[in-house]
Amino acid sequence: MKVAPEVPAEEVSGEAQGAPIEAGADQVERLLADLNGPQREAVTFGEGPLLILAGAGSGKTRALTHRIAWLLATGLAHPNQILAITFTNKAADEMRERVSSLVGGASRRMWVMTFHAACARLLRIEAERLGYTPRFTIYDEADSLRMLKRCLDELEVDTKRYPPRAVRARISDAKNQLIDAETYQETAGGPFEEMVGQAYRLYERRMLEANSMDFDDLLMRTVNVLELFEDVRRRYRERFRWVLVDEYQDTNHAQYRLLQLLCGEDGNLTVVGDEDQSIYGFRGAEVRNILEFTIDFKDAHVVKLEQNYRSTETVLEAANAVISHNTGRLGKNLWSDHGEGEKIHVAELEDEHAEARFVAGEIEELIDQGGMSRDEIAVFYRTNAHSRVLEDILVRYELPYQVIGGTKFYERAEIKDAIAYLQLMVNPADEVSFSRVINSPRRGIGDTSQGRLRNHANTTGRTIWEVAVEPEAVPGLAAAAIKSISRFTELIEELRAEFEGGPVADLLKALLERSGYLDALRAERTIEAEGRIENLEELVGVAAEFDANREVEGSSELEPLEEFLQAISLYTDQDDLKRDESKVTLMTLHNAKGLEYDAVFIIGCEEGVFPHSRSLEEGNEEEERRLAYVGITRARKRLWMTHARSRRMFAGRETGFPSRFLSELPEELVDREGTEEQALTGWSLGGNGAPSPKADLSLSFATGDDVTHASFGDGVVTAVEPGGVIVVRFASDGTERKLMADYAPLRKAS
DNA sequence: TAATATTACCTTTTT
DNA sequence: GGTAATATTA
């Protein structure tokens, strides 16, 4: 994980300085030299709206970065007129790096960042017009949920009937649609929506009081400021004469409106996207934005990039075949000249354990026989829960792996606590951060005392911090609580005074020690606490790295701490998907977008799992199919899709039919297989329901089977005992061992 | 106030 | 099956 200062470290290399942009024709030629026809067309398009429809693996980042370089080289754009927007920090970093390798230090004057980062940056300058200070806090989803819960409590909403998450989702949807609280309330139909309207209103008020914005606010407030203040709008329009957007298919309404305000309908807006890879509809992304770009932006020019530089023809044909079942496409057909390649392997397994064993076995073979390196292999699944069984088996096979996603570093309680302390120093109005740390570590300031503080704050119209600074004035507070609160606020004040403007790492270290936070963890003497301490140490490391980078850069008007928080609050370890060369990668299909691997496994291809039943209920079959499309097109050479006949879900075991996406694969591209005889017979002969666990096990191994164990090597099954135990005699040392068939890293030798 | 027992819940999640 | 948020009790 790394958090770079806002202006990144792309030092001007001597080479780049020696070859200034004005080099002219020569330079332009070089830029275009290794591009194909459509790419070149996209890169050299002049003024006006441009839509680049870029299929998977068609070199869209290349087109985008070269276009930026071309605009500079031809003198059409100055670096500071360029705004290049991505969705992830990782994509932003990559783009910045690639642009900088093309144009050198000029890239430092451009804004290359995510939507949210760009908005945050703009709002730090303009937010005062909306009643915020430039030091506002950015709340992540968990923070904003805390805030909302408090609002719901205050409104005495029954959170059993109306779960806060559901309310938050509604508010988030509304914000993505740019519907403000008042409008929402006016148009509310039914009691739930009226309650949401009320909650929304209160939430907005409290957020403003806390000088805080959630992720959705960053977009919506930016739109507000541009809509309300013509001078601001004019200023940024003139400033950003060239706007380029990556992954346009994932934009929501607020982002669309933002671009409209910034570019007008005939501005120099370049968007790149692929409607077939729109997989974030559930978060408000609107495919219509890309489908109707040419209507929204006058006379937009369209370029299609259809040559794929990644996958074999078989993989692409499979992807094309699946996605062709969707309607409402702009129509693209990927092709490649990488040759036919291997067929798609479709495997039917007994249950999730057999599936995991199968995958592990195939991976082992790829590495041992195929000579493939582990970092070229990935396993995708629909939901995070599916990684567990697989992880168990991989451990038993002694296959090193990494899981992307799941519990994130910055979402860990201890990390959030530490950051909340810092946040509170910068923005004392930040109520959520205050509540987070006031009693963490335990200071004997529980719910009742906190309630009294909050009450007093509400009645006197002050922030909770202002009230906490003089706790004597709060009615009902116990003497012990008063003392404790004073000690807390004094600590914060002290630290602030002592470390103002200094290195963030020093402040963080002092804070963790002096607050007693580390001591409390040390006192726990548990493995979890150990882990937490390590995480905090890592955070200090992140801060130290940030400080060091900042030193080099010398940069910016902001205080180091403010800058650090700005960076960290928009950074997730999503951005940290760096490739670990010695590990197989496991992740959800959503996380797979934008990545590629030589060998890909998509597991859990069953109706109800993938496509997910809830998605189907909501009528999102097409989005699920796009997810399949994304998954398939990640594979360069080899692709496996597996399904299990029964799978443990929630409490019990459920039978699952093969995913519709499997039947959408053209038969001639598919090679069906399974580890077990039984598996090959498939569903047509499959009888009714799941076999009993016993049958299940006896299916796996029989006396006389040749097997391979991950650590003991080759052997033969000499007995099958009840309870899933089998006896195996190993060739290496002749010993017999009793093993659990379901859990041992065993597979049948071929 | 804090620690422990119980119970409801449960996709995906770029920021 | 595992978590996370209540309910209960010390």
Side-chain angles (χ1 to χ4, degrees), chain A residues 92-118:
Chain A
D93 289 346
E94 188 189 340
M95 190 178 304
R96 205 156 32 206
E97 245 163 65
R98 286 174 67 170
V99 169
S100 128
S101 78
L102 289 174
V103 307
S107 66
R108 298 175 76 174
R109 310 193 49 204
M110 314 181 324
W111 281 30
V112 183
M113 54 185 88
T114 65
F115 266 109
H116 290 81

Side-chain angles (χ1 to χ4, degrees), chain A residues 142-156:
Chain A
D143 295 332
S144 98
L145 192 63
R146 276 166 169 253
M147 178 62 103
L148 180 66
K149 271 184 190 153
R150 206 151 296 135
C151 296
L152 292 175
D153 283 347
E154 199 175 324
L155 294 169
E156 295 179 336

Side-chain angles (χ1 to χ4, degrees), chain A residues 404-688:
Chain A
I404 305 296
T407 12
K408 295 176 182 118
F409 186 75
Y410 288 106
E411 284 169 14
R412 285 161 206 256
E414 63 278 14
I415 301 299
K416 294 215 69 170
D417 286 346
I419 291 170
Y421 270 104
L422 298 177
Q423 207 71 254
L424 190 59
M425 282 178 214
V426 168
N427 176 20
D430 179 350
E431 210 227 289
V432 168
S433 291
F434 180 93
S435 314
R436 200 172 172 106
V437 296
I438 178 73
N439 201 31
S440 178
R442 306 260 118 97
R443 295 187 176 87
I445 307 166
D447 290 345
T448 21
S449 300
Q450 286 183 48
R452 289 195 177 116
L453 283 175
R454 200 161 297 124
N455 246 329
H456 193 58
N458 280 350
T459 51
T460 58
R462 291 184 290 170
T463 66
I464 197 159
W465 174 262
E466 286 165 335
V467 169
V469 172
E470 21 174 26
E472 314 80 33
V474 179
L477 269 187
I482 292 179
K483 200 162 175 215
S484 217
I485 292 168
S486 298
R487 213 168 320 143
F488 172 74
T489 54
E490 277 158 22
L491 171 74
I492 301 289
E493 295 284 14
E494 240 172 69
L495 288 166
R496 190 184 2 226
E498 200 172 325
F499 290 93
E500 185 139 51
V504 181
D506 293 353
L507 166 61
L508 190 56
K509 264 188 273 183
L511 173 167
L512 291 171
E513 284 297 349
R514 289 201 225 162
S515 64
Y517 198 98
L518 278 174
D519 283 335
L521 283 177
R522 291 186 192 120
E524 273 189 47
R525 300 191 176 282
T526 60
I527 300 163
E528 292 94 73
E530 277 301 313
R532 299 214 160 132
I533 293 172
E534 275 168 31
N535 287 336
L536 287 169
E537 279 162 0
E538 192 176 342
L539 184 66
V540 173
V542 172
E545 195 181 326
F546 172 86
D547 290 328
N549 277 335
R550 197 170 189 281
E551 195 118 324
V552 175
E553 314 265 321
S555 71
S556 108
E557 339 68 70
L558 282 174
E559 292 271 301
L561 178 57
E562 289 170 38
E563 207 182 314
F564 178 70
L565 289 172
Q566 161 74 33
I568 222 170
S569 51
L570 292 174
Y571 237 94
T572 64
D573 29 62
Q574 198 54 46
D575 309 309
D576 205 31
L577 312 170
K578 60 172 171 272
R579 202 165 268 237
D580 193 324
E581 57 307 328
S582 59
K583 287 173 180 165
V584 173
T585 303
L586 276 47
M587 66 178 103
T588 61
L589 284 151
H590 282 88
N591 274 322
K593 194 165 78 165
L595 304 174
E596 53 185 280
Y597 295 88
D598 279 347
V600 164
F601 295 81
I602 302 175
I603 66 171
C605 295
E606 293 134 48
E607 285 293 298
V609 175
F610 183 39
H612 199 281
S613 51
R614 218 163 122 185
S615 211
L616 294 175
E617 279 162 28
E618 284 163 23
N620 293 330
E621 178 185 345
E622 298 214 342
E623 183 151 314
E624 293 287 303
R625 189 171 284 108
R626 291 194 289 264
L627 201 49
Y629 178 79
V630 167
I632 293 169
T633 53
R634 300 306 97 195
R636 290 198 199 100
K637 298 176 183 150
R638 293 169 168 176
L639 174 66
W640 279 261
M641 297 175 81
T642 65
H643 62 104
R645 282 188 284 179
S646 87
R647 184 179 296 275
R648 177 172 213 127
M649 312 200 59
F650 313 131
R653 181 157 286 284
E654 281 178 30
T655 53
F657 295 90
S659 170
R660 66 191 67 186
F661 305 141
L662 291 176
S663 52
E664 290 167 5
L665 298 171
E667 204 48 49
E668 68 273 15
L669 302 179
V670 172
D671 179 18
R672 291 187 188 273
E673 56 187 287
T675 41
E676 292 137 31
E677 287 276 301
Q678 215 67 12
L680 286 169
T681 62
W683 271 93
S684 45
L685 303 172
N688 37 351

Side-chain angles (χ1 to χ4, degrees), chain A residues 335-351:
Chain A
W335 60 276
S336 97
D337 56 10
H338 283 199
E340 194 180 334
E342 214 169 276
K343 288 195 171 179
I344 315 287
H345 307 277
V346 172
E348 173 175 302
L349 290 310
E350 191 50 50
D351 59 16

Side-chain angles (χ1 to χ4, degrees), chain A residues 289-315:
Chain A
N289 288 348
I290 192 163
L291 296 178
E292 295 181 12
F293 183 81
T294 52
I295 299 168
D296 297 332
F297 294 89
K298 254 201 334 223
D299 305 318
H301 187 65
V302 181
V303 179
K304 284 187 188 181
L305 306 182
E306 295 175 298
Q307 179 174 2
N308 172 295
Y309 291 95
R310 177 187 298 157
S311 309
T312 63
E313 283 160 11
T314 301
V315 168

